Amino acid sequence: RVELAPPAPAELWAALLGALPKRALKKKKTAAPAEAGGIPVDEQRAWLRRRVLDNYKRAGRPDQAITYYKQAVKSAPDDLDLRLELAAALLANEQTIAARNEANRILEKDGQHIGALLLLAEAHQARGEWYAAEQVLRRALEIDPRHEAARRGLAQMLIQRGINSFNNGHYKLARETYVTALEYAPNYLQALVFLADTVLVLKDETE
């Protein structure tokens, strides 16, 4: 006797989604008569698509989630939050160029979208484009100087720069860089530790 495995939750939601009409008719916009409490097909499709995406994300299958995000974005091209979710799924699937492009599309519509800027910076970092990532984070802080994630992200980049300077023997430059990092994240323990180490090395050099 062969027992078939039950379909995954995402596939169940996808099956329901596929059972809906591809598009609502002009004269009949609900799957059931309005007087019977019918919900517009477009609203049903959007709700079901969210369930599909959530389940694929939980199952660690970003490639499948991307397909549904693209379908959702095609249906609602002006939904910037949905586009940001697509960009995040692309980045999670190591499709950094596609993620960067999607973030830029969001910024074309809303140049002050902090979420898109943070994701764009992350995409640049994933490609080793450190200068570009730093500039994007600075742009985010120009929009919202108190944004915690942007401040911490920039502090992390400055710390890495400080480490590089220290390893190359540029101790004074490293110290200055760590001090700048702490201006963005005053309680960042890693920066405090590296700064203390650098100060000790400089003290030994002067003695």
Side-chain angles (χ1 to χ4, degrees):
R1 180 182 177 182
V2 178
E3 294 186 0
L4 299 177
E11 275 73 17
L12 291 174
W13 291 118
L16 289 172
L17 179 62
L20 289 176
K22 294 301 181 184
R23 63 179 62 183
L25 299 176
K26 291 183 179 180
K27 293 184 179 180
K28 187 178 181 181
K29 296 183 179 179
T30 60
E35 59 272 16
I39 301 173
V41 171
D42 289 343
E43 290 185 18
Q44 293 181 49
R45 186 181 297 111
W47 188 88
L48 285 169
R49 187 173 285 117
R50 291 283 185 183
R51 305 286 76 73
V52 173
L53 298 174
D54 287 345
N55 279 277
Y56 276 131
K57 287 168 67 177
R58 291 194 190 98
R61 297 172 62 187
D63 56 325
Q64 294 294 327
I66 287 168
T67 299
Y68 283 96
Y69 273 120
K70 287 181 176 178
Q71 292 175 352
V73 167
K74 188 175 181 180
S75 299
D78 294 326
D79 189 334
L80 301 188
D81 290 336
L82 191 57
R83 281 189 176 276
L84 185 61
E85 291 178 19
L86 169 59
L90 289 166
L91 190 58
N93 203 37
E94 299 183 353
Q95 296 176 243
T96 53
I97 294 178
R100 184 184 63 188
N101 292 342
E102 199 60 51
N104 279 322
R105 290 189 187 99
I106 296 171
L107 293 168
E108 287 174 3
K109 293 177 178 290
D110 179 2
Q112 296 191 333
H113 197 294
I114 296 293
L117 288 169
L118 294 179
L119 190 137
L120 179 59
E122 190 176 350
H124 281 307
Q125 284 181 284
R127 291 178 54 79
E129 299 165 349
W130 307 109
Y131 179 77
E134 181 177 332
Q135 294 308 303
V136 171
L137 288 172
R138 290 187 183 280
R139 178 179 166 187
L141 288 173
E142 287 177 2
I143 297 168
D144 183 358
R146 295 186 177 183
H147 196 283
E148 194 64 31
R151 293 178 70 89
R152 190 171 184 85
L154 184 54
Q156 288 174 336
M157 296 198 67
L158 289 169
I159 288 170
Q160 186 58 53
R161 187 192 297 173
I163 291 172
N164 293 338
S165 296
F166 184 94
N167 290 338
N168 290 325
H170 304 307
Y171 304 123
K172 290 184 178 180
L173 180 58
R175 180 185 61 190
E176 293 171 3
T177 306
Y178 293 140
V179 169
T180 302
L182 287 166
E183 291 175 2
Y184 290 100
N187 298 319
Y188 206 147
L189 181 59
Q190 190 180 32
L192 290 167
V193 170
F194 286 143
L195 175 59
D197 287 344
T198 305
V199 169
L200 287 174
V201 170
L202 287 169
K203 183 179 180 181
D204 290 340
E205 281 193 340
T206 58
E207 291 179 352

